[in-house]
Amino acid sequence: MRTLLLSLALLTPFASAAAANDDVIDTHVHLWNGEESLAEYRAKLKAAGLSVERFGAMWFGGPNQARAGNPADISARNDALIALAKDHPDMIPIATVHPYDGEAALAEVTRVAARGVKLLKIHPHTQGFDAADPRVLALVQHAGVAGMVVLLDNAGIVPADNEKLFNLALAAPKTRFIFAHMGGLGFRFWNILALARTAEGLFGENIYFDISASVILAADSPIEDEYVWTIRNVGIDQVLIASDYPQISLAKTLEAFDKLDLTEEERAKIRSGNAKRLLGL
């Protein structure tokens, strides 16, 4: 009996870890080659002993760029992604448009929202637009009215990235945003939210973050404590786990995430709870 109890005690942590792995929503996955990329994503999860409850996937990035001036191609690729998601119920489709396509972009937002798409991704750097351009504000406001959450790259690659996205979110308070990478190595800027939320009429509660890529730089580094401090200042309820696959694997992301000095309750929210609430899953 003693041997049996000891064996069960040794197995319990591994069983708990396996169960926890299922309770993950990866909100940032690039499927550059459709079904082929999806199969590769699942294979890498399996090889790492991981699985996900849901994952958010987009067709663009890498070799696929959603540039201005070709809205028909963007629309066709959005449709292909939506069709792929229909065959894979755990996949959350993430559509895109280009803000500079004007009325065509607004019409596409309306169209994909009507087809059940909840997430819209736009990327100032790879798509070559200025986040402070009035056309961007018009687009994200329109997406908010359509009930979509807007995912924007926030890796600090373009000048004044944090400041422009902060102002954009304040100008579109009815739109919910996810800022990917939480500012990259410029994450310290976002501590301003702790003060902004104390100002009358200035909230910032519509700003969420995914911590893809930046969490890998922060874990086991001299800035780790500041990074965790920032996560708490922007709000544990506003932070999501994400991999940015295929550039970074979910296994590597979770390995870094597990090193952060967070409580189990905080981890659970970031791993899946916050995404469920934000996306109504």
Side-chain angles (χ1 to χ4, degrees), residues 236-248:
I236 290 292
D237 292 342
Q238 312 295 112
V239 179
L240 314 172
I241 202 73
S243 65
D244 200 11
Y245 175 88
Q247 184 171 345
I248 300 168

Side-chain angles (χ1 to χ4, degrees), residues 11-205:
L11 286 171
T12 297
F14 295 100
S16 300
N21 286 338
D22 292 331
D23 193 21
V24 172
I25 298 176
D26 185 352
T27 57
H28 195 142
V29 175
H30 295 270
L31 301 180
W32 296 342
N33 298 307
E35 190 79 55
E36 178 184 345
S37 294
L38 178 51
E40 291 171 354
Y41 175 69
R42 293 195 192 282
K44 289 186 178 181
L45 288 178
K46 185 176 181 180
L50 298 173
S51 60
V52 292
E53 186 174 349
R54 303 288 294 273
F55 64 99
M58 60 200 86
W59 60 264
F60 49 97
N64 303 320
Q65 296 302 326
R67 298 287 189 181
N70 198 358
D73 179 67
I74 291 175
S75 179
R77 290 174 180 267
N78 285 340
D79 280 343
L81 185 82
I82 294 168
L84 183 63
K86 188 175 181 180
D87 292 335
H88 299 274
D90 58 342
M91 175 177 158
I92 304 164
I94 304 175
T96 192
V97 295
H98 197 290
Y100 292 178
D101 284 334
E103 289 299 324
L106 300 181
E108 178 66 0
V109 167
T110 300
R111 190 184 73 86
V112 296
R115 296 196 61 186
V117 178
K118 297 179 179 180
L119 278 164
L120 180 76
K121 169 75 181 290
I122 53 176
H123 196 304
H125 182 233
T126 63
Q127 290 186 285
F129 67 81
D130 185 348
D133 190 290
R135 290 169 289 185
V136 178
L137 176 58
L139 175 69
V140 300
Q141 288 176 327
H142 186 75
V145 171
M148 298 186 77
V149 177
V150 178
L151 174 61
L152 267 151
D153 185 80
N154 178 218
I157 298 172
V158 295
D161 188 22
N162 292 326
E163 293 85 348
K164 288 181 179 180
L165 295 189
F166 178 67
N167 289 332
L168 181 66
L170 292 184
K174 295 182 179 180
T175 302
R176 293 168 298 168
F177 295 87
I178 302 171
F179 293 158
H181 317 304
M182 202 170 71
L185 285 178
F187 67 86
R188 292 179 181 88
F189 170 88
W190 290 110
N191 288 287
I192 195 66
L193 284 176
L195 295 179
R197 290 173 180 143
T198 68
E200 186 175 353
L202 186 72
F203 302 104
E205 297 291 354

Side-chain angles (χ1 to χ4, degrees), residues 196-250:
R197 290 173 180 143
T198 68
E200 186 175 353
L202 186 72
F203 302 104
E205 297 291 354
N206 58 332
I207 299 175
Y208 294 74
F209 300 91
D210 85 36
I211 54 173
S212 59
S214 60
V215 68
I216 294 172
L217 292 173
D220 268 348
S221 80
I223 59 172
E224 182 178 328
D225 288 346
E226 281 191 69
Y227 190 78
V228 172
W229 173 66
T230 302
I231 286 176
R232 291 190 171 125
N233 270 336
V234 303
I236 290 292
D237 292 342
Q238 312 295 112
V239 179
L240 314 172
I241 202 73
S243 65
D244 200 11
Y245 175 88
Q247 184 171 345
I248 300 168
S249 69
L250 182 61

